[in-house]
Structures are given as C-alpha cells and as structure tokens.
Amino acid sequence: MQRLLFLPLKALMGSPCLRLLVPRAVPRTQYGCSCGIRHPLRPGQYSTISEVALQSGRGAVSLPSKAAERVVGRWLLVCSGTVAGAVILGGVTRLTESGLSMVDWHLIKEMKPPTSQEEWEAEFQKYQQFPEFKILNHSMTLAEFKFIWYMEYSHRMWGRLVGLAYILPAVYFWRKGWLNRGLKGRVLALCGLVCFQGLLGWYMVKSGLEEKPDSHDIPRVSQYRLAAHLGSALVLYCASLWTSLSLLLPQHKLPETRQLLWLRRFAHGTAGLVFLTALSGAFVAGLDAGLVYNSFPKMGESWIPEDLFTFSPLLRNVFENPTMVQFDHRILGITSVTAVTALYFLSRRIPLPRRTKIAAATLLALAYTQVGLGITTLLMYVPTPLAATHQSGSLALLSVALWLMNELRRVPK
C-alpha cells in the first residue's frame, strides 16, 4: 500500500511527468503557427498563449499557441481525472465507514504510515478515545482498524496527489508563458480550490470526532459539511473538465436559430439538475438515508411516507430527516432522467454535427443506466460495490452533460 501511494507522488514531482504532457519544442520560426507552415510572426504580432511572455521580454516560448493550448487542455483533463478518482475513493471511504479512523491532520507528518507494532498500537489507542470506537466499534481488533485506517489514508494521500497534479504543472506552464490572462485566472482559481478542498475535508472529519452527550445516534460527520466537501469537489471537477474540453475540442459553427438557443438553455438546465442530484447524494450518504426505505417505486406501502415532516421547523426535514432526504433524491433522479430524455428528443429535431449527436445519445444511455443502478442499490440494501458504482455513474453522467454543453456553446464572433 505504501509503495503504491508514494510512487505516483515521486513520478509526478519528477520532470518525466511533465515531459509526457509537453510535445517536442518547435523552431522559433514557427511561433504563432498551428498548421505546420513555417512563417515567422510579423513585428507586433503575438499568439494568444505566448502574448504575455513575449511582451514582457522574457525570451522565446517553445510552443506555438495552438500546441500550447492542447498541452494545457490535456493537463486539465488529467487533473479532472484525478479529482474524479478522489471523489470515487472518498465515496468508498464513506461507505466502508473509514473516514474517522485518522483522528489527526498533518500535511507532511501523516504521509508516513505506521510501520512497527508499537506505532500501530499508539495509533489505535488514539482512535479509541473518540466516539466512533466507544459507541460503534468498541469490539474492533487491530487488524480491522488497519483496514479502515488505510482506506482513509489512501483518500488523504490521493488528495495530496491531486494537489501536486494541479500546482506543479501550473507553475511550469506559467513560467513558460503558455497561459494567457484568462487561463491564468482560471488556473489560480483551480489551485486555490484544491487547497480549500483539503482544509474542508479536515473540517468535515472534525465534525465526526466531536463528543455529543445529548445524541444516541451513530457517530458520523455532519451531512452539511459532507455536502460542502463533495460540492466543492464537483465544482473543481466541472471547471477543470469544461476548460479542458474548451481547449481541446474545436467549436462547431452552428446557425444561431431559436431552436438552437432553446436547446442550449435546456442543456444548461439539465446539467444543473444532474449536478444538484449528485449533490443531494451527499445528504443521503451523510444520514445513511439509503437504508430507510428499501423499496421502489413506493416507499414502504405508500407513495408518500407519513414521516416526511416529523422535524420542526419544517425546513429541517429537507436536510436532516432521512426519509425526506431519500424522497428528495428520488424525485431529483426521476426529474433528471426525464429532462435528459426530453433533451435527447429535442436534439433530434435540429440538424447537429455527428459528435454532438453522439454526446446526446450517450447522455441518454448513461441516465437510464444510472437510474437502474440507483434502484438496484436501494433494493439490495446499499452494498458497497453497487453503491460505489452508482456514485461513479453520477460523475460519468455529469461529464457527458458538460460535453454536450460544450458541443452547443456559442462561437464568438
């Protein structure tokens, strides 16, 4: 486990990792050329990526603008993949109830796991002082503790890998002058959000380590903090993927008709609905609401259960009542798949490029697959493999929704 986690870090920090993203340098006479014709730039003419570097007189840039954009796009695509891996691993960590096994947070110190029996015993003793062990896991053995500890450790180390994947190449590309003003702002925001994610993760974990004398419930992290942690990860993922697709995929010059305008707006609304549905899953996970009513389409013996509004004031039920949380997630899921279906049939009424049609069809197929996974997970009492697959499906669905939005984006005049 230790070798598997440290090797990617070492690989990322070394120069070979960056060289994989960067194509061979081209002669200086090719600056500003994206089609392979060797014409030097005229005086005062700058490419979009290298403009800042050339104007500041820091010397030549080793790539033409279009090649640099492709490199940055591929980098952000890799980054979005690492964020997806963190979300999936975090979901598995939550499903295996491993998130509260590490009771300290140190950026550097905790990167080295316990190696001796004495170190493991000391780590286990620290865990025994907190509510999860006292209430839920009081009969846990050291071997069982090692499993949940390594799950949380893997998630934290993967988070550090995500940070390195963003920050180190960002510094490299910035110094090379491959980022224009707009990209610099986006990259700064993405790197800042990565750092915020780490702090928010520890803030979430702390909520599950606090003693709650008035509560007899199973110790768990705050569903609000869990939703904030997942939501910021989804924002980071979507922003990285959108920027990557915008740089890598050529835009279609679609005729600006009223039908296309409505389709574009509907695609944006559908993507927002898919995002909201995925975010509501954090409240389901945080409250273990998937174990309340394990039947479909009815909840128990009725369509609308009687305990939807048991909390006071009424608004608390939306975020704290497990029955209402599961009910809301069902409604959002059904609404999302309905919207995706309508979006697909609307797209068939407009002449669209082949790639755009493939995106719409893929979104429809994934939506129904995701609904099937969700129902199966519910009926089988939330087994970890199925639940993890369902969580991964939400990311896939969100990815294709972003792809379709990117296909329909307006071409600047």
Side-chain angles (χ1 to χ4, degrees):
M1 175 67 72
Q2 184 177 354
R3 292 178 60 191
L4 289 175
L5 290 169
F6 281 118
L7 284 176
L9 287 173
K10 190 178 295 182
L12 180 64
M13 295 176 68
S15 58
C17 177
L18 293 176
R19 288 200 296 269
L20 288 176
L21 290 170
V22 182
R24 293 181 179 178
V26 296
R28 294 179 59 178
T29 55
Q30 295 185 29
Y31 296 157
C33 176
S34 60
C35 55
I37 303 175
R38 301 189 178 187
H39 293 302
L41 290 173
R42 296 190 302 274
Q45 182 181 2
Y46 302 106
S47 65
T48 56
I49 295 293
S50 59
E51 182 177 1
V52 176
L54 289 174
Q55 286 178 332
S56 61
R58 287 199 299 265
V61 180
S62 60
L63 288 178
S65 61
K66 292 300 180 183
E69 285 180 359
R70 286 194 296 271
V71 172
V72 174
R74 291 168 188 162
W75 162 56
L76 289 176
L77 187 62
V78 171
C79 287
S80 63
T82 62
V83 176
V87 172
I88 295 169
L89 186 55
V92 175
T93 302
R94 176 67 189 91
L95 288 166
T96 55
E97 297 182 343
S98 306
L100 300 177
S101 57
M102 296 180 70
V103 297
D104 295 320
W105 190 86
H106 302 283
L107 183 61
I108 303 298
K109 182 180 177 181
E110 72 180 22
M111 293 177 65
K112 178 182 178 297
T115 53
S116 65
Q117 184 69 17
E118 292 75 14
E119 290 178 348
W120 275 114
E121 291 288 351
E123 193 72 25
F124 192 25
Q125 287 175 7
K126 286 193 293 185
Y127 174 68
Q128 292 172 358
Q129 299 172 14
F130 289 88
E132 186 176 67
F133 177 82
K134 296 176 182 178
I135 298 174
L136 184 64
N137 293 332
H138 49 81
S139 60
M140 174 176 280
T141 64
L142 180 59
E144 293 169 335
F145 170 72
K146 286 182 179 181
F147 171 77
I148 64 171
W149 192 93
Y150 269 123
M151 287 298 304
E152 174 64 9
Y153 174 78
S154 301
H155 183 50
R156 294 192 187 190
M157 291 302 297
W158 189 270
R160 287 166 172 79
L161 177 64
V162 173
L164 291 175
Y166 275 92
I167 295 172
L168 292 184
V171 172
Y172 178 79
F173 296 144
W174 193 298
R175 292 177 62 85
K176 281 288 187 179
W178 295 354
L179 304 175
N180 59 24
R181 183 175 299 178
L183 276 176
K184 282 184 176 181
R186 290 192 186 189
V187 167
L188 278 177
L190 292 174
C191 292
L193 190 53
V194 168
C195 298
F196 174 73
Q197 265 293 95
L199 296 175
L200 190 56
W202 173 240
Y203 179 65
M204 176 192 69
V205 169
K206 281 185 65 177
S207 66
L209 300 175
E210 297 170 354
E211 296 280 355
K212 300 174 183 177
D214 300 331
S215 175
H216 302 284
D217 199 2
I218 294 173
R220 55 167 65 96
V221 299
S222 164
Q223 69 272 23
Y224 297 103
R225 299 186 191 184
L226 177 60
H229 188 49
L230 175 63
S232 59
L234 292 178
V235 169
L236 177 63
Y237 174 75
C238 292
S240 303
L241 183 61
W242 176 264
T243 306
S244 171
L245 293 176
S246 300
L247 292 173
L248 293 177
L249 295 181
Q251 289 181 283
H252 300 297
K253 295 182 179 179
L254 303 173
E256 289 293 331
T257 62
R258 180 173 296 181
Q259 285 181 316
L260 179 64
L261 179 62
W262 278 105
L263 181 64
R264 185 182 291 135
R265 290 176 177 174
F266 198 82
H268 281 71
T270 302
L273 192 57
V274 170
F275 183 94
L276 186 60
T277 305
L279 186 61
S280 72
F283 288 93
V284 175
L287 293 171
D288 290 328
L291 299 172
V292 179
Y293 287 96
N294 296 92
S295 57
F296 191 87
K298 291 184 177 181
M299 298 180 71
E301 299 297 327
S302 59
W303 292 99
I304 301 178
E306 297 178 354
D307 55 340
L308 277 181
F309 301 100
T310 55
F311 290 14
S312 180
L314 288 179
L315 187 60
R316 282 186 58 202
N317 291 278
V318 179
F319 305 106
E320 298 181 17
N321 184 347
T323 301
M324 175 65 88
V325 166
Q326 187 191 123
F327 182 79
D328 291 343
H329 191 60
R330 290 184 182 216
I331 296 301
L332 284 170
I334 294 170
T335 307
S336 294
V337 75
T338 303
V340 169
T341 305
L343 178 64
Y344 172 75
F345 284 107
L346 282 175
S347 69
R348 290 178 60 87
R349 300 174 60 182
I350 304 175
L352 295 171
R354 181 173 178 270
R355 198 177 69 201
T356 310
K357 292 181 179 179
I358 292 174
T362 305
L363 183 65
L364 181 70
L366 278 177
Y368 280 93
T369 302
Q370 180 69 351
V371 168
L373 279 171
I375 294 173
T376 306
T377 302
L378 184 70
L379 296 179
M380 297 185 67
Y381 291 85
V382 197
T384 298
L386 264 179
T389 306
H390 181 56
Q391 292 176 351
S392 305
S394 65
L395 277 177
L397 189 62
L398 190 57
S399 304
V400 180
L402 289 172
W403 174 26
L404 182 58
M405 283 173 53
N406 195 274
E407 290 291 317
L408 297 172
R409 73 187 190 274
R410 190 189 303 271
V411 177
K413 295 181 180 180

